[in-house]
Amino acid sequence: MAYSEKLLDHFKNPRNVGTLDKNKNSVGTGLVGAPECGDVMRLQIEVDPITKKITEAKFKTFGCGSAIASSSLATEWLKGKTVDEALAIDNMAIVEELALPPVKIHCSVLAEDAIKGAIKDYQAKNGVQTEASIAASH
Amino acid sequence: MGQRLIYLDNNATTPTDPRAVEAMIPFFYDNPGNAASRNHPFGWAAEQAVDNARKQIADLINVDEREIIFTSGATESDNLAIKGVFEMYQRKGDHIITVKTEHKAVLDACAKVEKMGGKVTYLDVQRDGLIRLEDLEAAITDKTVLVSIMWANNETGVIQPMKEIGDICAKHGVLFMSDATQAVGKIPVDPKAVGVHLMAFTSHKMYGPKGVGALFVNRKNPRVKVTSQMDGGGHERGMRSGTLNVPGIVGFGKAAEIAKEEMHQDAERLSKLRDKLETALMGSLEEAYVNGNRESRMPHVTNISFKHVEGEGLMMTFNQNIAVSSGSACTSASLEPSYVLVALGLGDDLAHSSLRFSLGRFTTEEDIDETIAKVTEGVNHMRDISPIWEMYKEGIDIDAIEWSEH
């Protein structure tokens, strides 16, 4: 199938590949997917304790081109957002931006899950009340 | 882009040999007749051309030309053989034995047989892709009418022990059918010598045109009959009705003639190139595994898993100019990886990490050198951005992690 230029660009030049120190309190890590399913995404955010804005976002992904592009795009969108703004990112926005074909929508869902997982981890570390501190995504 | 295209997906389909195309062209323009038209020169010319092609194809597999039934391709041949035998021999029995790593054309035809009230046994394979002969023998009952086992596997290239299987079938008086789509025209295939009674194969995997295939049906000792699955004018001895694809058949015949002449030199050259590719990739990349038996294998195929790299993503690093295929079926709704590799006992993760390289007559050493460089680069890049590769490098036991299934 033919992929969009934007998707190919994110795939070929992935933004924000890397690893943040998951032991730091200001860092939240989301790890979603499973190797048996052919997709694993790890997305990390670092939040400024004073402004509560996301100052850094990094990812590593095992998966197809759409999964890699979705996570790369997610990290771009996360930077500069507050945690609440980040929580509002919807997978369909990723689908639209990258023109993901229907069979690849699950990649965007995974990216949204990874964002939410990273935020939950950050919130749990920083004593923010969430019902989902069970997420234990790593 | 201006980049040179490299085609290493010859198990999907082969390019048509120009010599086969040349042979076909007159049957579009000068000789447009229907081979079944018995009363004018147009029909006679077409019939003669079909007879000639039938002879060329029969010669390639060392059978009588009257034992060749033309079809639209191997899928149709598989269907005709399996459903046709099941219907024809219903009074003898209702049991068919096949293998989990067969092509979908065989597996789905067998599933249809089950819907029609038949029973099917699906044999397991060993880690190297070969069946256990004792499993086959143990599965045969007095109700077994057919054993269907492919000659060479499309994903791994693994060649089954055909003679031994044929001997077991003969001992128990069971018909032996083989989907030889990947083998015919590439390695010597002689169904009678190994006791195969029905054999499906196709033109477009051996440098002929698409849309034409054949089913070999043994005529003597035993005389095998199949119930037609396509009813109509009674063509092909009543086993397959439908106007013959004369240009396609002519091209198929020419491809068979060329294969008979050139397959040995092709196989020798391609196995060297394949080995070069395999050795280079295995040498430069850690955690790479060849899938399937490396001795009993087609000369032009290698299937390699690159651990902690997803196959489809990996392909995207070089698929602007290099064509291969992957056991990762991430595009399907099910997210299931190759059932063939899973049947070999690979975990789903390794099956998702596999690439199949299938070389062909037009593959050059330059193609292989570029592929080695691009694939190595691709695997390294994908590992750099893979979280599970990072964990593996840190010594984390990935199997011990509780992954969130989705």
Side-chain angles (χ1 to χ4, degrees), chain B residues 23 53 80 83 138 176 184 188 211 232 254 302 313 370 383 390:
Chain B
L80 176 56
K83 295 180 204 165
F176 180 20
V184 173
K254 186 66 188 176
T302 179
E370 187 170 342
R383 282 179 173 170
E390 184 185 294

Side-chain angles (χ1 to χ4, degrees), chain A residues 1 3 8 11 17 19 31-40 42 60-65 68 103-104 106, chain B residues 308-310 312-313 316-317 330-331 335 348-349 352-353 382 384-388 390-391 398 403-406:
Chain A
M1 82 193 76
Y3 289 108
L8 289 172
F11 175 75
V17 172
T19 307
L31 181 65
V32 295
E36 304 81 62
C37 303
D39 291 299
V40 176
R42 189 192 63 200
K60 278 200 176 187
T61 291
F62 161 88
C64 64
I68 289 163
V103 291
K104 294 294 186 186
H106 69 271
Chain B
H308 308 315
V309 171
E310 198 274 337
E312 195 189 335
M316 261 180 82
T317 65
C330 186
T331 45
L335 306 181
D348 283 6
D349 55 336
H352 274 300
S353 301
M382 295 299 278
D384 282 345
I385 67 172
S386 167
I388 46 179
E390 184 185 294
M391 292 175 196
I398 289 152
W403 297 99
S404 54
E405 303 285 337
H406 62 289

Side-chain angles (χ1 to χ4, degrees), chain B residues 173-195:
Chain B
V174 175
L175 291 178
F176 180 20
M177 181 264 172
S178 184
D179 175 348
T181 304
Q182 296 291 347
V184 173
K186 308 221 180 88
I187 57 170
V189 167
D190 186 338
K192 288 180 191 264
V194 299

Side-chain angles (χ1 to χ4, degrees), chain B residues 161-210:
Chain B
M162 298 304 288
K163 181 78 177 83
E164 289 78 358
I165 296 168
D167 287 348
I168 291 172
C169 292
K171 183 175 145 195
H172 294 272
V174 175
L175 291 178
F176 180 20
M177 181 264 172
S178 184
D179 175 348
T181 304
Q182 296 291 347
V184 173
K186 308 221 180 88
I187 57 170
V189 167
D190 186 338
K192 288 180 191 264
V194 299
V196 163
H197 305 111
L198 298 118
M199 188 175 83
F201 56 108
T202 192
S203 157
H204 80 100
K205 308 275 195 203
M206 47 182 276
Y207 311 99
K210 291 163 187 61

Side-chain angles (χ1 to χ4, degrees), chain B residues 355-370:
Chain B
L355 291 186
R356 176 188 72 185
F357 304 89
S358 46
L359 286 58
R361 186 177 289 159
F362 306 105
T363 304
T364 64
E365 181 143 23
E366 195 186 358
D367 292 344
I368 295 303
D369 291 338
E370 187 170 342

